[in-house]
Amino acid sequence: MNHASTPASVAPRQRGSAMVEARLSKAAIAWMAAFIARQNTVDRLFETARARINIMKSAATTAIFILAAGLGSASAKLNIENISPQQTDRPYSQIILKDKKPYWLSAGQTDAAGAQGDFLVLQEMDCRANGKAKNINMPADYMALAPLAEFMWQKALVIGVNFSGEWSLTQLHDDLSGTQQSLPLSNVGAIWASTSSKAGYFIAGTSANKQPMLMYFSGDLKSKKALGQANDHHGEVSSVFESRGRVFALFNRYPGAKDTGTSPGAELREYSATGAPVSRTPLNGTAATGTALKDGGIAISYWIGKQLFMEKRAAHLATLWTAQLHQRSGIASMKGHLLEAGSDIAWIGANDNQLLVHRVTQDGASVQTSVDTQSKMGIPTPRIYSASSSGNDISIRGAAGRSANPRPGQVTRFCFTEKPDS
């Protein structure tokens, strides 16, 4: 079993070979180049972070247990359930709707050349689900979609970037029959996640000028406000999620060349349902991601140098335990997907050019790790997997090449299931 993690990069989606290149504007090419450069800078900063960040800070009132979890100490079962070769690489996203079920959303395909149609396809995340896919009638001319969206309290949004490098959000009807309204998003570099509260929407990512970006929109999209701070340095908001009426966002700081005296770092910020700031909690590492837990707590992963850690915090945000996971190696995910699966907390991502899943028990006492060493499946672009749980089982979806140098547009859609060791 092998393990690891690194930054994300986005390659243009192919829409039928020559057609895509003809449609990619100079703006889209510039956007791609800037995005890749920004992520490569993040990776370099991690190499210096170890010398500038204290690995652990103990709190007098909190018992923190460091688990030196050997990555082969226990294993789980990881199997590929289905694969589907595609003529073209079509953008996709994971979305959670008002029924609290996770779905996979992707651009529709209408002809043999792989041209995108004027609809999106919605299907259940579970690899073994036999439910019929639903088509959503709307323009689907996207180069990429925001990887993760949770809309349990509001109408669903489709958030994506077109072939001119322009981001937008589109609100759907409650029955998903079509679009209700669309809004352009300005000064956006990338969008990583979004969530909803009883009052509106929160959209997280990085701005065009490389600063952390968190936007709040009212439920009717008529009002919005930026939730970043004036003194925020270069960085990103990698996660945003709702928990029992509270909204949390993970702000990551990646100082630029002119940010002398500033170290890489991360912060957990809490907001009210309407975007009012509530609290700010510094974290030990950087490139942090997080998720809400059923017991009201929060799971967070972050990096210190090349080392990945996971921690659990109580509802009042005190640290309960910290687990040391793997060291980053080769082609790897910097932003892993965190979720709750049965009695475990899972981290899903890539390391050493392979899919890797960590399961940590709720008390932090043990870690199980599974690695895909058999399928020869490549890593999605960006290096983020779509993942959901049903009971103890995890379904993992994505699309990637199956060779070291696949031809442009040659991809395979896949769905893995991962189960805990009995």
Side-chain angles (χ1 to χ4, degrees), residues 2 11 24 53-54 60 116 129 141 149 168 170 188 204 221 223 232 290 306-307 319 325 328 365 379 416:
N2 301 324
L24 275 174
I53 300 177
N54 236 342
Q116 290 177 14
D141 194 18
S168 64
T170 299
V188 174
L221 302 183
S223 64
D232 282 333
K306 288 188 174 184
Q307 184 67 56
T319 306
L325 300 178
R328 190 169 75 256
I379 306 305
F416 285 86

Side-chain angles (χ1 to χ4, degrees), residues 129-378:
N130 296 318
K132 185 178 179 181
K134 177 181 177 63
N135 290 349
I136 301 173
N137 296 318
M138 64 173 290
D141 194 18
Y142 292 107
M143 179 167 57
L145 296 172
L148 179 63
E150 300 177 349
F151 302 122
M152 291 181 284
W153 296 106
Q154 300 291 338
K155 295 178 179 179
L157 299 180
V158 176
I159 305 171
V161 59
N162 65 19
F163 284 83
S164 296
E166 301 162 338
W167 284 88
S168 64
L169 61 83
T170 299
Q171 189 178 53
L172 304 179
H173 291 298
D174 277 326
D175 62 0
L176 307 180
S177 59
T179 63
Q180 183 160 318
Q181 58 179 318
S182 295
L183 290 178
L185 298 173
S186 59
N187 191 33
V188 174
I191 293 175
W192 294 118
S194 58
T195 194
S196 64
S197 67
K198 289 184 178 180
Y201 302 95
F202 294 78
I203 298 173
T206 184
S207 68
N209 59 358
K210 305 178 184 178
Q211 288 186 302
M213 180 190 73
L214 183 64
M215 296 179 286
Y216 168 80
F217 288 83
S218 59
D220 58 9
L221 302 183
K222 290 183 178 179
S223 64
K224 71 173 183 176
K225 57 184 173 182
L227 302 182
Q229 303 292 323
N231 61 349
D232 282 333
H233 295 267
H234 286 183
E236 65 181 357
V237 182
S238 56
S239 297
V240 62
F241 51 92
E242 189 267 354
S243 176
R244 301 184 178 184
R246 307 160 75 186
V247 176
F248 296 93
L250 274 300
F251 278 68
N252 295 284
R253 183 175 64 250
Y254 310 131
K258 297 181 180 180
D259 294 322
T260 57
T262 302
S263 299
E267 192 173 64
L268 175 68
R269 298 186 187 179
E270 180 183 349
Y271 297 88
S272 72
T274 57
V278 175
S279 68
R280 298 173 62 169
T281 304
L283 302 175
N284 292 313
T286 191
T289 58
T291 191
L293 302 176
K294 294 184 181 72
D295 63 5
I298 294 172
I300 298 172
S301 69
Y302 55 83
W303 294 88
I304 298 177
K306 288 188 174 184
Q307 184 67 56
L308 177 65
F309 293 84
M310 181 193 294
E311 69 180 33
K312 180 178 179 179
R313 290 179 176 252
H316 58 282
L317 305 184
T319 306
L320 301 177
W321 50 259
T322 301
Q324 180 177 321
L325 300 178
H326 67 265
Q327 282 206 333
R328 190 169 75 256
S329 173
I331 298 176
S333 302
M334 196 66 77
K335 288 182 276 289
H337 190 124
L338 280 172
L339 58 79
E340 202 164 12
S343 58
D344 299 323
I345 304 168
W347 185 97
I348 299 108
N351 199 56
D352 203 17
N353 204 28
Q354 295 172 314
L355 169 62
L356 177 149
V357 180
H358 293 301
R359 285 177 177 263
V360 184
T361 53
Q362 289 283 349
D363 59 3
S366 67
V367 178
Q368 287 188 353
T369 301
S370 53
V371 179
D372 172 34
T373 59
Q374 304 297 323
S375 76
K376 302 188 184 301
M377 192 65 64

